[in-house]
Amino acid sequence: VLNEVGRGWPVSGQLDLATWMSYRLGMRMAWGAASGPEFGNLVLTRFRIRASEVVTLTHWDDYQGRSLLDVTVDLGFGRAISVLGTHLQHRNTPEALTARMAEIGEILAHWAGAPATVLAGDLNPMQGEPGQGPRVPGEFVEIEALLDAGFATAGNLEACDPPTSNENCSDFILVSGDLTMRSLDVGVNFADHRILVADVVVP
């Protein structure tokens, strides 16, 4: 799952990054526009894609457009998982928090407790200022809402250690309760965000 993937977007040199990565990695792809028709979320997989759907989330004021990409991945032997990729509002303000919570509500309504689901992306939870607000992932109200709804994660919820973006814990992988996440690791590489790698067991 990748966020901020351009397809002809000027910032990415007008390159179709989604198609380029799919070709170079030899993986199938599903892409969904978010902030305009040339910028959005991408799912790459070596498995067959049964279906994909883009859910446009409510556009708040002057914020960037956001969406949810729902991809059904065929694992073979009659098994499939739903991969939900998203990128929520990014500002660390009460107004942005309101927008994020509304986006999470729309995502949860779309998910509706369906089994075999992985939710991943930059959720941009409100971190608080250093030394002032909660910087413990388990205390982020956005993450609490997802956990209360039935998602789980093997990520560190007790401390932002290691951070996933600069000094923040912005990125998450969560799974529905019928799946088992055995581990979640944060890569040492760094650009704007570090890579997350999860080991998920599908019954």
Side-chain angles (χ1 to χ4, degrees):
V1 177
L2 298 99
N3 304 134
E4 299 184 8
V5 177
R7 305 193 74 180
W9 201 46
V11 170
S12 57
Q14 297 183 320
L15 175 68
D16 182 349
L17 275 173
T19 300
W20 183 83
M21 284 190 286
S22 174
Y23 174 76
R24 286 298 301 267
L25 295 172
M27 302 175 82
R28 298 172 176 88
M29 74 170 211
W31 184 85
S35 182
E38 301 172 339
F39 188 64
N41 302 303
L42 174 68
V43 170
L44 294 168
T45 175
R46 62 188 176 90
F47 296 103
R48 185 172 69 89
I49 293 174
R50 288 187 186 176
S52 66
E53 177 184 4
V54 180
V55 179
T56 300
L57 304 177
T58 298
H59 194 171
W60 286 76
D61 299 326
D62 62 338
Y63 295 157
Q64 287 185 346
R66 304 290 174 168
S67 69
L68 174 72
L69 177 60
D70 183 348
V71 182
T72 303
V73 178
D74 189 337
L75 302 179
F77 304 101
R79 300 183 307 163
I81 60 170
S82 177
V83 178
L84 306 179
T86 194
H87 183 190
L88 303 184
Q89 294 299 338
H90 63 286
R91 298 175 187 172
N92 198 35
T93 65
E95 294 77 17
L97 174 59
T98 298
R100 273 193 302 279
M101 294 306 293
E103 291 166 349
I104 288 172
E106 294 178 46
I107 290 170
L108 291 176
H110 173 81
W111 170 54
T117 300
V118 176
L119 171 63
D122 181 359
L123 304 185
N124 275 317
M126 191 166 184
Q127 314 277 317
E129 297 302 323
Q132 296 180 16
R135 301 185 71 81
V136 178
E139 296 178 356
F140 299 155
V141 294
E142 300 93 332
I143 305 308
E144 285 182 340
L146 294 169
L147 296 176
D148 289 345
F151 281 101
T153 183
N156 187 359
L157 297 176
E158 300 301 319
C160 186
D161 181 27
T164 68
S165 175
N166 297 308
E167 297 305 313
N168 291 325
C169 282
S170 300
D171 309 282
F172 290 84
I173 301 176
L174 303 105
V175 296
S176 54
D178 59 313
L179 301 182
T180 301
M181 186 184 296
R182 292 193 294 206
S183 64
L184 189 146
D185 298 312
V186 180
V188 296
N189 61 298
F190 180 75
D192 182 26
H193 293 255
R194 296 176 179 88
I195 292 173
L196 301 187
V197 179
D199 182 5
V200 178
V201 178
V202 181

